[in-house]
Amino acid sequence: MQSPNLTSFSVLVAVIAAATAFGWWRRRHDGRLRAVRDRRPAAAGPGGTAAAGDAATLATLGVRPGAVTLVQFSAPVCAPCRAARRVLDDVAGRLDGVTLLEVGVDEHLDAARALEVWRTPTVLVVDATGRVVRRAAGVPDRDELLGTLAPLAARARG
């Protein structure tokens, strides 16, 4: 039988290892833009398909077809939201045809749930057809965002 001190030490080491692994994983994935796959029709909104439901929800938030839109879901007490806003302001200012829309989750909780926003900041990249094509939870990387938006903005203008 192990002594209580050895057992406590083993538990402590296991907890520290788990926390370190989670922190590494979170840092690696936080703010990364990821492609959005079409959701199953079971998650469909009022239009009959998930994409139509997303488009209707985005329209109620102020997203207009014909422009590439960055939609940032944020909260008043969210410090990373302010950092994300600075990045998005900079990126939207560099590219013609890209608009920025900030949405408060506390005022639009139903829309956040419909669009599967579970933390703030969450950034949605909406193409000119009104479809969410990429999303990031956390502060997005400026260069990755510019690389994603440049071709979308060029298509929207052309």
Side-chain angles (χ1 to χ4, degrees), residues 4 10 19 34 49 69 82 86-87 101 122 137-138 140 147 149 154:
S10 299
R34 60 183 175 84
T49 67
T69 307
R82 291 187 288 278
R86 285 190 298 274
V87 170
L101 176 65
T122 292
L149 289 171

Side-chain angles (χ1 to χ4, degrees), residues 58-145:
L58 290 166
T60 64
L61 295 173
V63 174
R64 301 289 169 243
V68 176
T69 307
L70 293 169
V71 181
Q72 177 186 343
F73 282 88
S74 58
V77 296
C78 171
C81 294
R82 291 187 288 278
R85 187 180 318 114
R86 285 190 298 274
V87 170
L88 298 178
D89 278 337
D90 179 53
V91 168
R94 292 180 188 211
L95 296 171
D96 291 333
V98 175
T99 60
L100 174 58
L101 176 65
E102 188 169 358
V103 177
V105 292
D106 48 347
E107 295 131 11
H108 299 282
L109 192 54
D110 290 340
R113 286 182 180 147
L115 294 167
E116 298 181 356
V117 173
W118 304 117
R119 64 178 275 219
T120 57
T122 292
V123 177
L124 305 178
V125 177
V126 182
D127 68 7
T129 65
R131 192 175 69 108
V132 178
V133 293
R134 299 239 184 235
R135 67 186 300 139
V139 180
D141 179 72
R142 182 182 328 268
D143 294 334
E144 184 182 17
L145 200 52

Side-chain angles (χ1 to χ4, degrees), residues 38-57:
D38 287 334
R39 293 184 286 154
R40 291 174 280 139
T49 67
D54 288 353
T57 301

